[in-house]
Amino acid sequence: MSGNIRKEALRDQRAKMLAAAPDWRASDARVNPRVAIGSIVAMWLLYFVITTGLGILAGAEQWEYAGRRAAVVVAGILCTFVLYQLIQHVQPRGFAARLGVAMGTAIPLVIVYACLNLLVFYYWLPLEDSPKVIADIQSKFPVAWQMVLILDSSIRWYFFFAVWAALYVAFGYANEMRAVERRANHFRIEAQTAQLRALHYQVNPHFLFNTLNSLSTLVLRGSKSEAETMIMNLSSFLRSSLAVDPEQLVSLDEEIALQRLYLDIEQVRFPDRLQVEVTIPKELENACVPVLILQPIIENAIKYGVAPSKGRIAVRLTASNEYGLLVVRIENDIDPKAPAPAAGTGLGLGNVRERLLTRYGPAAGCEWGPSDTGGFFVSLWLPLAREGC
């Protein structure tokens, strides 16, 4: 019963999200009202200035036209504003569909404007040559001469309205594309964050399994004090490692301090076999590294270098600055007399490489293999930074 209720709730939630999606799209495609209204006023003022200026340059008397032209400019602003309101409430998905709606919506507004233009220049405030123009049209079209005049004016003015409508749709579509890009970047960052967290959380279960295995061995062996010490060290390590944010950067010095908590656990297992050597220049102690990036590397060194050996094995950690990159190298000896350990899955080292690539891209990396001294090395590099951690 509860499963059915949960399914219905998820279905309702999905339906609400789908229903709200067009609202998001329409909101993204809307142009800032100040920009839209400003473009309307600017377009008509530009028309007034250009038309009046061209008339003056042609030597015509423009003062008697100026008042009438101002009246039709106000009418044009009002008609274009109505067009803006209509387009704003109709937002199809595709750019072509929006443009088609805008062009179609402009037709009735153009006809209204052509009628107002006709009334101003031929009826309300007629010019001296207006009666002659009307007479000429009447002689050619005696029945529907007004319709002919309106149609002629509408065709000429349609281009003017269509240009503004296309500009508005283009602005809206550009806004939507920017919003889509912002959301895509946001989702990309969220995906990267989730990947970093997933890669980080692969570390602790892997380590915990090995440690509990060792702890059970100590208990079966009757090493009570050593088991208690390991439990205390494990508690300290888990408290420290689980408290940090997997996206956090820490200084190299802090990262090594975390690894020493882990090494304290392993020191209980191998008191006579594990030797740790850390060599870090003073100037690199505050270099930033992803938290717990070294843990799976050191764990591998213990598992494949120290655990199968019979003698003392050194685990050496060094850091250097090479061409603006922080290079950290971890190397462990291999006992030639020890049986070869079973081949690993490569999960730990692959995890390290994936975390570095996810965070830094191709500027970082990790490689491993046999060392020149007969042991095994892991080397990682990343951009050297001392701020932000």
Side-chain angles (χ1 to χ4, degrees):
M1 183 70 178
S2 61
N4 293 333
I5 294 174
R6 189 179 298 109
K7 287 180 181 178
E8 290 178 4
L10 289 172
R11 192 160 49 245
D12 292 342
Q13 183 180 5
R14 190 181 299 112
K16 290 178 181 178
M17 290 175 65
L18 291 173
D23 294 337
W24 299 340
R25 189 163 45 247
S27 176
D28 291 339
R30 286 180 183 143
V31 180
N32 187 312
R34 291 184 179 180
V35 175
I37 296 172
S39 67
I40 293 172
V41 174
M43 180 184 72
W44 284 101
L45 288 179
L46 185 63
Y47 157 75
F48 179 85
V49 171
I50 291 176
T51 306
T52 304
L54 289 175
I56 293 173
L57 290 175
E61 179 59 49
Q62 291 297 309
W63 296 116
E64 61 176 334
Y65 287 90
R68 297 171 177 83
R69 190 171 290 125
V72 296
V73 163
V74 172
I77 290 174
L78 293 176
C79 289
T80 314
F81 181 77
V82 173
L83 175 61
Y84 156 64
Q85 291 292 332
L86 292 174
I87 296 175
Q88 191 179 27
H89 289 86
V90 181
Q91 294 290 347
R93 288 192 179 184
F95 176 78
R98 292 180 195 173
L99 190 60
V101 168
M103 295 302 179
T105 308
I107 293 174
L109 275 304
V110 171
I111 294 173
V112 171
Y113 176 75
C115 293
L116 292 173
N117 190 70
L118 177 65
L119 290 173
V120 169
F121 281 95
Y122 293 96
Y123 287 97
W124 294 341
L125 300 170
L127 298 170
E128 292 181 2
D129 59 344
S130 294
K132 183 178 180 302
V133 173
I134 293 175
D136 292 340
I137 295 176
Q138 283 180 325
S139 65
K140 296 179 182 178
F141 305 96
V143 178
W145 65 270
Q146 295 98 335
M147 296 298 297
V148 172
L149 196 59
I150 291 172
L151 180 60
D152 179 69
S153 181
S154 298
I155 292 173
R156 286 187 287 110
W157 282 104
Y158 179 77
F159 176 76
F160 203 69
F161 278 79
V163 167
W164 181 88
L167 188 65
Y168 177 82
V169 172
F171 280 158
Y173 197 73
N175 285 347
E176 185 178 1
M177 290 301 100
R178 282 194 291 269
V180 169
E181 186 177 354
R182 284 195 300 270
R183 283 198 294 270
N185 287 334
H186 176 69
F187 293 149
R188 194 177 299 114
I189 291 172
E190 284 190 349
Q192 185 183 40
T193 300
Q195 185 179 10
L196 283 172
R197 288 180 180 275
L199 292 170
H200 169 80
Y201 290 133
Q202 286 178 13
V203 171
N204 289 332
H206 192 214
F207 152 73
L208 189 60
F209 173 80
N210 290 336
T211 303
L212 292 178
N213 224 8
S214 301
L215 185 60
S216 66
T217 302
L218 290 175
V219 172
L220 291 173
R221 209 167 59 194
S223 305
K224 180 181 177 181
S225 61
E226 293 178 354
E228 289 178 350
T229 301
M230 179 175 280
I231 290 172
M232 293 301 297
N233 290 337
L234 176 62
S235 175
S236 299
F237 177 79
L238 290 178
R239 189 182 304 112
S240 300
S241 63
L242 294 177
V244 299
D245 187 339
E247 301 172 53
Q248 180 181 346
L249 293 174
V250 297
S251 68
L252 183 57
D253 197 39
E254 291 172 323
E255 172 69 6
I256 290 174
L258 279 173
Q259 298 314 311
R260 285 195 181 279
L261 292 174
Y262 168 75
L263 288 168
D264 286 344
I265 297 171
E266 300 298 349
Q267 197 73 57
V268 175
R269 292 177 61 199
F270 311 110
D272 301 323
R273 283 186 276 166
L274 174 60
Q275 176 185 344
V276 179
E277 301 174 7
V278 178
T279 306
I280 299 178
K282 190 73 175 175
E283 64 272 14
L284 294 181
E285 289 182 352
N286 60 345
C288 298
V289 297
V291 67
L292 293 179
I293 194 68
L294 301 180
Q295 197 271 329
I297 303 176
I298 294 178
E299 181 183 350
N300 272 9
I302 301 295
K303 181 178 180 180
Y304 297 109
V306 180
S309 70
K310 301 298 181 182
R312 197 166 184 81
I313 298 295
V315 176
R316 291 176 289 275
L317 189 153
T318 60
S320 60
N321 177 1
E322 299 181 14
Y323 306 104
L325 294 175
L326 172 65
V327 179
V328 180
R329 182 182 174 96
I330 298 173
E331 188 175 350
N332 62 273
D333 297 333
I334 293 179
D335 187 352
K337 298 179 181 179
T345 62
L347 175 64
L349 297 181
N351 183 297
V352 171
R353 174 182 284 170
E354 195 67 27
R355 283 187 69 189
L356 290 171
L357 290 175
T358 299
R359 180 178 288 275
Y360 299 104
C366 178
E367 63 179 6
W368 54 84
S371 65
D372 296 335
T373 58
F376 191 84
F377 82 95
V378 178
S379 181
L380 61 89
W381 61 93
L382 63 151
L384 178 59
R386 296 183 175 86
E387 296 181 359
C389 57

